[in-house]
């Protein structure tokens, strides 16, 4: 991604958080759609470039395909939303964001007089602002396709400029509506609150203290601001470390990076998402399996089973942004990995 788009670097530190190999590895097979798959066969059939399974902080399975190597970064798409959520928690821990119940306009005053009047930070994190938004990836005229594509006012971030023109469709907090533009707004909100670029803040709060193995990169919008809702790139193991950081309660180097209550709220259902899933937290999904999940289009996911201390990372290059069949195959794979991990 860094060869195609403008990006900012999330700098790593001098220490790497260890991910040692477990004494026993797993290599499950599973059935889906009338076929039996090995791990390698699943990866080939569903364009997975990397699979990583961590239990109790140790690697049970690590596999690469499509020419990818352990040092190669892979784009997150919307998995970045869950990292942005974590940076909100860090800003709260520092007192830079006073409360998740603060009005969004306290931090982005350019939104005053728009559909975001009266919307709180928490409602943005739950994607329930009530502002009208179309997230159809196949529609070139949808909001997600055109938001921030033009710099109308050099003094106003292009995504802020676009979002403040949108009408309200529902009362704030009443209904979930998946909205990448609002996660970009949250990214702007965090950087305004802490007075730093998002990439620098992510480096200071996560990459350096927790010990990521390689610099990350973050794609920027036309205004040069990191996309809060999309497009970080990191190694497969660093995806695993993001998951482990949250599973460890948001601590790094023995210090609480986010408030002790933050991880619990962010990764448990705060409202129903209008799907068959359990609900949505603060930029984290809650699938019916009982896990919590960071998820991005084209097959990116960090799935965590809290009580089992199990993290499953999948990076993919699906031929479309998403479909029921592709998602169902991934969940069949995740279920087989979970079952194999229980035996270890």
């Amino acid at each position: 991604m860094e060869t195609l788009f403008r990006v900012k670097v999330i700098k790593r530190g001098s220490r790497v958080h260890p991910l040692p190999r477990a004494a026993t590895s797993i290599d499950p097979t599973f059935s889906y759609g009338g076929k039996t798959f090995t791990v390698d066969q699943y990866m080939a059939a569903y364009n997975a470039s990397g699979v990583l399974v961590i239990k109790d902080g140790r690697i049970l399975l690590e596999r690469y395909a499509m020419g990818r190597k352990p040092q190669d970064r892979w784009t997150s798409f919307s998995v970045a939303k869950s990292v942005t959520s974590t940076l909100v928690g860090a800003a709260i821990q520092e007192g830079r964001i006073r409360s998740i119940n603060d009005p969004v306009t306290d931090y982005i005053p350019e939104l005053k007089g728009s559909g975001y009047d009266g919307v709180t930070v928490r409602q943005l994190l739950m994607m329930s602002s009530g502002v009208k938004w179309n997230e159809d990836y196949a529609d070139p005229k949808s909001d997600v396709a055109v938001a921030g594509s033009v710099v109308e006012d050099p003094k106003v971030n292009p995504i802020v400029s676009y979002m403040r023109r949108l009408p309200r469709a529902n009362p704030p907090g009443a209904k979930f509506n998946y909205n990448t533009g609002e996660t970009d707004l949250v990214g702007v909100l965090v950087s305004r609150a802490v007075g730093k670029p998002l990439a620098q803040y992510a480096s200071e709060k996560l990459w350096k203290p927790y010990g990521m193995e390689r610099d990350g990169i973050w794609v920027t919008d036309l205004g040069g601001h990191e996309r809060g809702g999309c497009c970080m790139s990191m190694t497969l193991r660093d995806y695993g470390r993001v998951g482990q950081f949250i599973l460890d309660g948001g601590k790094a180097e023995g210090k609480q990076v986010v408030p002790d209550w933050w991880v619990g709220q962010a990764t448990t259902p705060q409202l129903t998402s209008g799907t068959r899933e359990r609900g949505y937290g603060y930029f984290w999904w809650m699938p019916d399996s009982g896990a919590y999940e960071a998820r991005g289009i084209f097959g990116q996911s960090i799935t965590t089973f809290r009580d089992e201390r199990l993290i499953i990372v999948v990076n993919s290059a699906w031929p479309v942004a998403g479909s029921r069949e592709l998602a169902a195959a991934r969940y069949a794979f995740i279920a087989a990995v979970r079952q194999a991990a229980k035996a270890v």
Side-chain angles (χ1 to χ4, degrees):
M1 293 289 279
E2 58 259 53
T3 66
L4 298 173
F5 297 96
R6 293 182 295 182
V7 302
K8 288 185 180 177
V9 176
I10 310 170
K11 294 181 180 179
R12 54 154 290 187
S14 58
R15 184 184 65 87
V16 176
H17 182 93
L19 288 176
R21 297 278 176 183
T24 304
S25 62
I26 60 171
D27 194 9
T29 60
F30 69 102
S31 296
Y32 171 73
K35 298 179 182 179
T36 299
F37 294 89
T38 64
V39 173
D40 289 339
Q41 288 168 339
Y42 167 78
M43 294 179 72
Y46 290 93
N47 288 1
S49 73
V51 169
L52 179 68
V53 180
I54 302 169
K55 183 177 181 181
D56 296 324
R58 295 179 178 272
I59 295 175
L60 292 179
L61 172 65
E62 182 178 13
R63 200 74 56 85
Y64 297 89
M66 301 176 69
R68 187 179 179 188
K69 297 179 177 60
Q71 67 270 25
D72 291 336
R73 289 183 285 243
W74 192 265
T75 188
S76 68
F77 291 105
S78 290
V79 169
K81 292 177 170 65
S82 301
V83 177
T84 298
S85 167
T86 302
L87 297 182
V88 173
I92 290 171
Q93 178 72 8
E94 284 194 306
R96 303 298 185 93
I97 295 175
R98 297 178 299 276
S99 167
I100 56 174
N101 295 313
D102 283 349
V104 171
T105 50
D106 283 2
Y107 301 91
I108 311 177
E110 299 96 318
L111 293 175
K112 290 180 179 179
S114 76
Y116 289 95
D117 276 336
V119 175
T120 66
V121 176
R122 182 172 184 265
Q123 287 163 346
L124 278 193
L125 290 166
M126 297 189 303
M127 298 207 185
S128 62
S129 71
V131 172
K132 187 177 181 180
W133 176 265
N134 179 356
E135 186 84 10
D136 186 349
Y137 303 112
D139 180 359
K141 296 183 179 179
S142 68
D143 293 308
V144 73
V146 302
S149 60
V150 177
V151 178
E152 297 182 351
D153 183 348
K155 297 179 180 179
V156 180
N157 175 274
I159 191 69
V160 174
S161 179
Y162 184 89
M163 301 298 283
R164 67 182 179 177
R165 293 187 283 112
L166 297 175
R168 179 169 287 175
N170 298 288
K175 183 179 180 181
F176 174 86
N177 183 42
Y178 192 78
N179 187 327
T180 291
E182 289 186 346
T183 50
D184 288 339
L185 281 185
V186 172
V188 172
L189 188 153
V190 171
S191 61
R192 295 274 186 90
V194 302
K196 300 174 182 177
L198 277 184
Q200 180 182 341
Y201 198 56
S203 171
E204 294 174 0
K205 292 299 176 181
L206 186 53
W207 251 248
K208 288 181 178 178
Y210 199 70
M212 300 303 184
E213 69 182 14
R214 191 177 179 200
D215 290 348
I217 65 101
W218 208 330
V219 171
T220 62
D221 61 26
L222 292 179
H225 192 283
E226 300 90 332
R227 298 281 311 278
C230 183
C231 309
M232 306 175 74
S233 290
M234 65 191 89
T235 68
L236 184 65
R237 290 175 192 160
D238 282 346
Y239 278 105
R241 289 182 178 95
V242 169
Q244 193 68 50
F245 170 79
I246 297 299
L247 183 58
D248 289 344
K251 296 179 181 178
E253 297 180 317
K255 298 179 181 179
Q256 201 76 45
V257 177
V258 301
D260 54 8
W261 54 265
W262 177 264
V263 169
Q265 285 193 18
T267 60
T268 53
Q270 298 298 313
L271 83 171
T272 58
S273 60
T275 69
R276 291 174 292 177
E277 298 181 303
R278 292 180 296 130
Y280 197 72
Y282 301 154
F283 297 166
W284 291 86
W285 294 92
M286 315 296 142
D288 282 341
S289 62
Y292 60 85
E293 192 167 70
R295 191 186 303 165
I297 57 174
F298 297 104
Q300 326 313 319
S301 58
I302 305 172
T303 305
T304 303
F305 295 93
R306 195 190 322 265
D307 294 343
E308 297 162 34
R309 304 286 300 172
L310 178 66
I311 300 164
I312 303 168
V313 180
V314 181
N315 286 158
S316 311
W318 287 349
V320 294
S323 72
R324 289 186 178 182
E325 193 277 330
L326 291 168
R330 180 175 57 187
Y331 282 126
F333 171 71
I334 288 171
V337 167
R338 182 188 185 191
Q339 191 63 36
K342 286 181 177 180
V344 175

